[in-house]
Amino acid sequence: RRKHIMAKIGRPRIENPKRNLITFRMRDDDRRALNIYASRHNITISEALEKAVRNLIETKESKSALS
């Protein structure tokens, strides 16, 4: 008798999944600026925010290393 192997269905698992959802309030002018930035760079709002967070962390770490 042959065993049937079922194919896995759905998206493949990724190495470092994004499991955290963060919400916060923004002023209207900041939201407009964020939308414009993302649109001009052809990225999503989430990608723009991730980039900003990484940049903030890297900048803070490089400044503290100089102290």
Side-chain angles (χ1 to χ4, degrees):
R1 201 175 216 211
R2 291 173 53 181
K3 288 186 179 180
H4 293 284
I5 299 174
M6 299 291 290
K8 291 186 179 182
I9 299 174
R11 290 184 176 204
R13 293 183 185 220
I14 60 174
E15 187 175 312
N16 191 8
K18 298 176 183 176
R19 297 182 185 178
N20 299 292
L21 176 65
I22 298 174
T23 59
F24 64 99
R25 296 179 186 270
M26 292 182 102
R27 294 189 313 250
D28 289 342
D29 56 339
D30 290 335
R31 177 61 193 243
R32 278 192 291 277
L34 180 59
N35 285 340
I36 291 168
Y37 178 88
S39 178
R40 286 184 179 166
H41 291 86
N42 198 29
I43 60 176
T44 65
I45 298 294
S46 293
E47 289 169 328
L49 292 172
E50 288 173 348
K51 183 177 182 178
V53 169
R54 276 189 245 107
N55 187 28
L56 177 67
I57 292 168
E58 289 170 4
T59 301
K60 292 287 183 183
E61 286 177 354
S62 67
K63 284 185 181 180
S64 65
L66 296 174
S67 299

